Amino acid sequence: MAGKVRTRIFVDMTPMVDVIMLLLTFFMLTTQFRPPQEAEVTLPSSHSDFKLPESDVMTVLVTSDDRLFLGLDSQNDRVKIFGEENRLKPGILVPDRQTLGNLMVKARLTNPKLRTVIRGDKKVNYGAIEDVISVLQEKNITRFSLVTELDTK
Amino acid sequence: MAGEVAAAQPKRQRRGSKKAKRPTRVGIRVDLTPMVDVLMLLITFFMLTTVFTTPQTMEINLPPDETPVEVAESSLLTLRVMADQTIYWNMGMEAVQKVAFQDLRLLLEDKLRNNPKLITLIKVQRDATFEMMVNILDELSLAQITRFSMAPFKDVDLRFIEKGLGG
């Protein structure tokens, strides 16, 4: 007798799907994937709580094997400074300090709002960083930042 | 063909309304549960991949190259960082003393309390790691020291350290 009365439960999922679709769209549109880097570096950690700005950044990448890359975040700037063929590359390999200095001056003339950041591998010798800093000083860029990871300790 | 369809349409409707008051309607119920499952998975994916951790930066202001800054000797603290991670400090032209990295912050805070006009000069050996330099700068900022400069580590510094340790 008890088994006879059986109510079939059918929940209408449509509103749920609506909400989930909205959330999904939101996350899909706001997700910013990590911008590609020319080379992977392990960042040193610090307690500094300044965030890296999202636009108008000129990045000097120093890899663990002492190679130098200069990167710009906007495609327009890249075309102007590195040439059309490097539009989609996040940065270009810089052969020596002279070139680095010249490119930086050119970049800052093109876009005066550019902020300079140094992204160095934590295992790289300080000498490599010192060279970059002396290039910056030569070119009168006395304000720059070092990219670090937040130390949670 | 098109004319036929257009003609048939009103006819059928009229007939339908005559026969029954309510037109027969097939209730289509799609089971949306699998769809919800998939969407939930996608949502979780996007929620987890969203980067909330933008990298931090440490801002450095260095004095321009050509303008030498005159500093009173008594308020100049020099930190010399060696490649083997030992740190030597001295005030002005005093002899160097060794300090462990853990005690550096206390030392810096102490020096700053005694002399608020303290200026710190950091010299890092070229063979030291970048991480070491960042750590030192981090200690400085944690000790609220904002006025510092960096200078290249020269052979003179090495001799100065040796002299300080020997004498």
Side-chain angles (χ1 to χ4, degrees):
Chain A
M1 247 188 113
K4 261 187 183 173
V5 195
R6 209 199 234 168
T7 29
R8 223 182 114 77
I9 303 172
F10 195 95
V11 186
D12 190 6
M13 292 277 188
T14 327
M16 190 170 176
V17 171
D18 289 351
V19 172
I20 291 180
M21 274 295 193
L22 270 180
L23 279 173
L24 191 62
T25 336
F26 169 74
F27 278 109
M28 277 174 75
L29 294 181
T30 53
T31 303
Q32 279 186 335
F33 287 100
R34 210 149 48 101
Q37 293 289 328
E38 280 294 305
E40 274 305 312
V41 289
T42 332
L43 294 172
S45 53
S46 81
H47 296 85
S48 163
D49 50 4
F50 290 108
K51 288 258 186 280
L52 183 73
E54 275 168 20
S55 53
D56 296 327
V57 192
M58 172 162 68
T59 318
V60 183
L61 189 78
V62 188
T63 61
S64 49
D65 48 356
D66 275 2
R67 283 178 306 158
L68 279 180
F69 290 92
L70 184 69
L72 292 163
D73 65 323
S74 107
Q75 287 197 6
N76 286 340
D77 289 350
R78 273 186 227 151
V79 170
K80 278 181 207 146
I81 290 134
F82 305 148
E84 180 64 47
E85 69 277 10
N86 291 316
R87 173 189 279 271
L88 292 174
K89 281 192 196 165
I92 57 160
L93 183 69
V94 182
D96 55 65
R97 291 166 51 185
Q98 185 84 41
T99 328
L100 179 72
N102 293 342
L103 281 174
M104 282 177 139
V105 170
K106 207 170 149 194
R108 278 170 66 91
L109 284 176
T110 319
N111 184 355
K113 279 184 292 178
L114 276 183
R115 268 180 278 190
T116 315
V117 299
I118 299 180
R119 194 183 176 94
D121 193 280
K122 66 181 187 180
K123 290 284 168 250
V124 78
N125 273 357
Y126 170 68
I129 308 285
E130 193 180 40
D131 290 343
V132 174
I133 294 179
S134 64
V135 170
L136 292 178
Q137 271 185 315
E138 246 169 62
K139 304 295 175 198
N140 268 323
I141 307 174
T142 53
R143 233 177 115 100
F144 55 89
S145 321
L146 303 177
V147 186
T148 58
E149 234 155 40
L150 188 63
D151 194 350
T152 42
K153 277 182 283 178
Chain B
M1 274 275 270
E4 243 179 70
V5 173
Q9 209 75 348
K11 206 177 164 188
R12 201 160 64 197
Q13 260 184 4
R14 224 182 293 132
R15 198 170 60 195
S17 60
K18 254 183 205 169
K19 260 191 178 172
K21 281 196 179 111
R22 255 218 246 128
T24 43
R25 216 197 234 165
V26 196
I28 304 171
R29 288 214 137 170
V30 184
D31 191 5
L32 291 179
T33 326
M35 188 172 177
V36 171
D37 290 350
V38 172
L39 289 181
M40 276 295 191
L41 270 180
L42 278 173
I43 277 205
T44 343
F45 169 72
F46 277 106
M47 277 174 79
L48 294 181
T49 50
T50 305
V51 193
F52 289 111
T53 52
T54 47
Q56 315 293 307
T57 59
M58 215 182 233
E59 203 167 282
I60 300 178
N61 273 308
L62 291 181
D65 231 359
E66 57 267 21
T67 49
V69 190
E70 296 284 328
V71 183
E73 208 173 80
S74 58
S75 57
L76 179 72
L77 170 72
T78 314
L79 288 175
R80 290 184 173 85
V81 185
M82 313 295 287
D84 57 357
Q85 308 216 336
T86 43
I87 306 163
Y88 296 102
W89 69 274
N90 72 314
M91 296 294 297
M93 288 304 284
E94 289 169 20
V96 291
Q97 289 176 54
K98 202 170 166 175
V99 63
F101 182 72
Q102 303 89 271
D103 308 328
L104 183 64
R105 201 187 309 173
L106 281 176
L107 174 89
L108 291 171
E109 279 167 352
D110 188 48
K111 292 289 169 202
L112 189 67
R113 216 176 298 126
N114 292 341
N115 185 354
K117 282 194 288 184
L118 186 82
I119 289 194
T120 314
L121 185 64
I122 308 161
K123 296 183 173 188
V124 186
Q125 240 185 357
R126 291 184 64 93
D127 297 341
T129 56
F130 176 50
E131 187 182 21
M132 194 65 197
M133 173 231 184
V134 170
N135 286 343
I136 302 278
L137 293 186
D138 198 29
E139 289 301 307
L140 285 175
S141 72
L142 287 174
Q144 313 286 324
I145 295 181
T146 49
R147 303 207 297 171
F148 63 87
S149 186
M150 315 206 41
F153 193 102
K154 299 204 173 90
D155 290 342
V156 188
D157 296 291
L158 204 59
R159 282 202 294 278
F160 188 74
I161 289 172
E162 275 161 8
K163 207 178 82 191
L165 292 179

